[in-house]
Amino acid sequence: MAEEKNKYQSRRDFVSKAGKLIIAAPLIIIPVALAKKTETTGYVWQIDPFKCTTCGNCKTNCVMTPSASKCVHAYQMCGYCDLCGGYQRQGVKNISTAAENQLCPVGAIDREFVEEPYFQYTINEDLCDGCAKCVKGCGDFGNGSLYMQIKHDICVNCNDCSIARTCPSNAISRVPEGFSYIEKDKRKK
Amino acid sequence: MKKALPYIILVLLLCWHAVMFAQDRFPRPEFETDYVYPEHQMPTQRAPFWQYIDLAVLIGALIVTTWLALKKRSRQGLLWMSVFSLAYFGFYRQGCICSVGSVQNVSLALFNDGYTIPLTALLFFIIPLVFALLFGRVFCAGVCPLGAIQELTGFAPVKLPKTVDVVLASVPFVYLALAVLFSATNSTFLICRYDPFVGIFRLDAPYTMIIFGVLLLLAGIFVNRPYCRYLCPYGVLLNIFSRFAGKHLTITPAECTNCRLCEASCPYDAILPSNTEQVSEAPERSRKRFILYFLFIPLFAIAGGYLFKNLAPALSGVNSTVRLAREIRFEKESGIEAVTKSALAFKEAGQTEADLFAQEEFIINRFRKASPWAGIFLGIALGIGMVSLSIRRRRTEYKPDQGKCYSCGKCFKYCPIKVKSSNEV
Ligand code: SF4
Ligand code: SF4
Ligand code: SF4
Ligand code: SF4
Ligand code: SF4
């Protein structure tokens, strides 16, 4: 009887040892399999401005409110026009800074006089909620110098960016940490 | 550097693209005054070394939790650990990246060439499993922020009927299989999408998710840890690994006297009673049943694989490209105009339909190849579950079911045996 029990015991020991080895295998295999595909730096999410179709999802779908995705201005591309397609609502009678004439629903664009006949448009990041209306206006009627980017001081870098998931033009993708922005224009004056 | 090369080329291409194709409707001004162009405001993110601090905190927290659960045997200590993890990983780090979600990064990296996994994500995946293999589910006890928020809000445990529990407990397996399938085919991150508590950590989310999270917490007051028990896909892995744990928390600090005082103390039904009193059946019979059930495993696996193979086209619907293609095709066939944002964007972007349909075909094929494996996994899991039901182990003591036990330590105080010296050593 005692022997029987011992046999049973040693068999159980063997089974549990073998099980442990088998179960430990994936913990070694997975890192080995991924050895070549591992990077010490991480990823961040960014918008490819050339794919963005200004659909407006950025404003509503980010987990942050207001959205981490905001409008930025490539000044080098801008025409500095008096009548700015990104600033002025379409079909306004006179060009003015009156709120009802502004395209931006939250008044986040500042218009400043530079010199005749040029005006500089600056995005007030604290106000901008990422609706992309101005980006569409600028793209349709201007030089396309306004574009959307995810601001990494606000973005919490979700494992699965919820704007990317619903972006209709698949404009948002993971980019390596060192290349956090896809700038539209790098020309320097 | 070599790895970064494609991206450098990409950035250069984009710049070139910008220079060549900028819609210069209006000439850029020649300023007469000494106007300088303002700088782009491109704030950088949190310093990269922070992710290694997260990793250090993870390992530290795991070690402390292990010590508290196995050595110090302090429920109070474990609760404080939960508070800490909830505060750090939950509210301070706002829930990303977490071990639960890292399953998807691993599967995405394993099956897709375009994605290299960040080292931290890989380690967040591996380390808690290593700890589970050594010491049981200490990760759940005091490190996982999702577990912590539920542990701290489970006030009035009630017991669910056994059958309900068993049925619900199979959900995480399906969830895991689907999550891995969807991330392997680069379709979506299911776990992150339906993470009920991350919205609460961030105090900001679509209101449906907040409602879901709050409802779960409310349910959790009575059915403790509902997410852990009936949803958590990472819990499936921890469960498996913990079954083979080298050391595991014990209910009693010394020898169990079978006083039965702890019997009903576990809110998760994770205490295996001693069964010396039960008449044991003839070993011949149980062996036969064991072999019979064992033969069922391949059968289940085949059935699961077959079922999921047929489900592949339906499952591929989670992929946005596939959805878009279906919409465009429907538009062509029925003449009803496609008006979703993706359809409009597609038309605006000027990609050809043939391209889109080819992509769709490619993705569906990936699903056809991958989804039977999800079915096979589920079949095998079901089979093993049945086999383990057929094995009746003789136990002379009350002990935690290593798969289900979260090492929460709630049962400690029910055991009348106190060993003074163990606390003082
Ligand atoms: S229009 Fe929208 S995107 Fe543009 S500045 Fe205003 S809030 Fe931001
Ligand atoms: S429409 Fe665009 S390019 Fe033109 S002035 Fe406005 S911001 Fe600049
Ligand atoms: S990663 Fe998260 S926080 Fe950042 S833009 Fe996407 S949804 Fe917003
Ligand atoms: S079961 Fe899942 S959610 Fe619960 S504590 Fe464990 S890992 Fe976290
Ligand atoms: S330590 Fe394990 S067995 Fe004890 S109450 Fe917690 S989950 Fe149940």
Side-chain angles (χ1 to χ4, degrees):
Chain A
M1 186 67 202
E3 213 172 78
E4 176 93 338
K5 192 142 199 202
N6 265 341
K7 226 172 86 192
Y8 175 73
Q9 199 56 37
S10 65
R11 197 167 62 209
R12 282 215 52 185
D13 275 356
F14 173 75
V15 168
S16 89
K17 274 226 183 74
K20 229 171 255 179
L21 279 181
I22 293 171
I23 218 77
L27 292 186
I28 297 161
I29 292 171
I30 290 179
V32 169
L34 287 178
K36 283 214 171 119
K37 281 189 176 180
T38 310
E39 227 166 343
T40 46
T41 54
Y43 285 89
V44 293
W45 295 93
Q46 195 48 273
I47 301 171
D48 179 347
F50 301 103
K51 281 191 180 171
C52 166
T53 46
T54 64
C55 69
N57 276 4
C58 272
K59 173 183 165 170
T60 47
N61 289 22
C62 181
V63 300
M64 307 302 278
T65 320
S67 171
S69 166
K70 295 196 186 301
C71 172
V72 295
H73 196 171
Y75 294 99
Q76 308 271 350
M77 288 171 70
C78 178
Y80 286 80
C81 330
D82 190 5
L83 177 63
C84 163
Y87 181 77
Q88 219 79 45
R89 209 183 273 276
Q90 236 186 299
V92 287
K93 287 210 187 66
N94 46 357
I95 302 165
S96 80
T97 54
E100 70 272 14
N101 288 345
Q102 290 181 25
L103 185 59
C104 177
V106 291
I109 307 180
D110 296 328
R111 170 185 154 104
E112 274 166 276
F113 176 72
V114 183
E115 64 180 52
E116 214 39 69
Y118 300 131
F119 289 85
Q120 174 186 308
Y121 299 95
T122 317
I123 310 296
N124 183 345
E125 239 180 74
D126 298 332
L127 290 180
C128 173
D129 62 7
C131 72
K133 289 207 166 89
C134 62
V135 178
K136 184 163 178 45
C138 178
D140 288 351
F141 305 108
N143 285 357
S145 64
L146 295 173
Y147 63 106
M148 303 300 293
Q149 288 287 282
I150 291 171
K151 295 281 171 129
H152 292 300
D153 53 340
I154 305 167
C155 173
V156 291
N157 201 9
C158 310
N159 204 16
D160 182 28
C161 172
S162 68
I163 314 178
R165 194 169 62 227
T166 49
C167 175
S169 33
N170 283 327
I172 307 183
S173 58
R174 295 185 180 86
V175 299
E177 230 159 55
F179 304 87
S180 320
Y181 292 94
I182 302 179
E183 288 179 36
K184 234 183 164 181
D185 188 278
K186 285 207 149 172
R187 285 176 293 186
K188 289 273 175 296
K189 235 193 173 164
Chain B
M1 191 60 207
K2 222 169 136 195
K3 273 186 185 159
L5 203 61
Y7 295 103
I8 297 175
I9 293 174
L10 176 78
V11 169
L12 287 179
L13 266 179
L14 288 177
C15 296
W16 178 77
H17 185 110
V19 177
M20 297 306 288
F21 296 103
Q23 306 117 297
D24 273 340
R25 290 195 179 95
F26 303 102
R28 297 188 304 127
E30 302 283 337
F31 291 112
E32 271 142 33
T33 51
D34 46 1
Y35 173 80
V36 269
Y37 284 104
E39 274 302 312
H40 261 38
Q41 311 150 320
M42 299 298 195
T44 45
Q45 68 176 141
R46 233 168 62 116
F49 65 79
W50 266 98
Q51 50 176 345
Y52 292 99
I53 292 185
D54 293 347
L55 204 57
V57 175
L58 173 81
I59 297 172
L62 278 167
I63 293 174
V64 174
T65 312
T66 307
W67 177 71
L68 285 170
L70 272 64
K71 195 98 193 159
K72 189 98 198 311
R73 301 176 50 79
S74 159
R75 162 84 180 149
Q76 199 65 30
L78 287 172
L79 274 181
W80 280 113
M81 220 34 235
S82 298
V83 172
F84 167 76
S85 298
L86 181 58
Y88 184 79
F89 291 112
F91 288 106
Y92 177 62
R93 292 293 294 114
Q94 311 206 301
C96 274
I97 179 177
C98 77
S99 299
V100 183
S102 69
V103 178
Q104 306 160 112
N105 300 62
V106 170
S107 128
L108 181 66
L110 278 176
F111 299 104
N112 290 275
D113 285 334
Y115 177 72
T116 50
I117 187 170
L119 182 63
T120 34
L122 182 60
L123 292 176
F124 261 77
F125 173 74
I126 293 282
I127 292 173
L129 293 179
V130 171
F131 268 81
L133 191 56
L134 297 173
F135 307 113
R137 299 175 74 167
V138 284
F139 175 72
C140 301
V143 186
C144 176
L146 307 176
I149 194 172
Q150 298 172 87
E151 183 68 46
L152 295 171
T153 49
F155 298 113
V158 294
K159 278 218 157 76
L160 283 185
K162 190 95 190 147
T163 39
V164 177
D165 182 77
V166 168
V167 170
L168 285 178
S170 61
V171 176
F173 285 85
V174 182
Y175 197 5
L176 175 69
L178 290 180
V180 170
L181 174 66
F182 291 159
S183 47
T185 54
N186 200 359
S187 298
T188 186
F189 272 20
L190 200 64
I191 304 174
C192 297
R193 186 161 169 187
Y194 296 109
D195 183 332
F197 302 123
V198 78
I200 295 175
F201 297 152
R202 290 175 182 156
L203 302 172
D204 199 350
Y207 70 98
T208 42
M209 277 330 276
I210 294 264
I211 292 174
F212 179 46
V214 170
L215 280 182
L216 258 191
L217 281 185
L218 287 179
I221 294 177
F222 306 106
V223 183
N224 291 181
R225 285 195 189 240
Y227 183 80
C228 297
R229 285 158 85 187
Y230 307 128
L231 281 170
C232 179
Y234 193 60
V236 172
L237 300 178
L238 290 168
N239 179 321
I240 296 170
F241 281 89
S242 170
R243 278 168 201 270
F244 296 91
K247 260 175 166 299
H248 195 279
L249 159 151
T250 52
I251 301 173
T252 166
E255 191 121 359
C256 175
T257 56
N258 285 309
C259 67
R260 303 184 58 191
L261 283 174
C262 66
E263 199 169 52
S265 66
C266 178
Y268 316 113
D269 249 339
I271 294 181
L272 295 170
S274 112
N275 55 5
T276 41
E277 273 125 69
Q278 277 167 21
V279 269
S280 56
E281 66 184 338
E284 246 341 280
R285 269 193 62 190
S286 63
R287 194 167 305 148
K288 266 200 192 128
R289 201 179 41 207
F290 176 79
I291 291 171
L292 179 72
Y293 280 8
F294 204 81
L295 292 177
F296 269 122
I297 295 181
L299 230 76
F300 283 144
I302 293 169
Y306 183 74
L307 175 73
F308 269 70
K309 195 175 172 58
N310 287 326
L311 282 177
L315 290 172
S316 66
V318 297
N319 188 293
S320 54
T321 312
V322 173
R323 269 203 313 272
L324 173 64
R326 286 188 182 152
E327 213 187 320
I328 299 291
R329 185 170 303 118
F330 181 73
E331 179 189 63
K332 262 173 69 176
E333 280 162 10
S334 69
I336 301 169
E337 207 179 334
V339 287
T340 56
K341 278 183 175 175
S342 355
L344 295 179
F346 169 76
K347 289 173 193 166
E348 196 173 319
Q351 199 194 3
T352 66
E353 276 173 19
D355 259 4
L356 180 70
F357 292 149
Q359 270 179 39
E360 180 201 16
E361 196 49 41
F362 175 74
I363 295 167
I364 294 183
N365 269 336
R366 288 192 81 181
F367 267 89
R368 283 220 181 85
K369 260 189 234 145
S371 54
W373 291 103
I376 290 171
F377 163 74
L378 287 177
I380 293 178
L382 182 66
I384 291 182
M386 284 189 55
V387 168
S388 67
L389 279 183
S390 80
I391 305 174
R392 204 163 290 143
R393 292 218 182 88
R394 280 165 55 80
R395 279 181 301 271
T396 52
E397 64 199 332
Y398 281 78
K399 57 184 226 178
D401 175 342
Q402 296 200 0
K404 285 164 99 186
C405 170
Y406 299 110
S407 301
C408 73
K410 256 186 196 155
C411 50
F412 289 162
K413 66 168 186 268
Y414 292 86
C415 184
I417 301 169
K418 300 282 179 264
V419 178
K420 282 245 170 60
S421 54
S422 92
N423 269 0
E424 279 151 19
V425 170

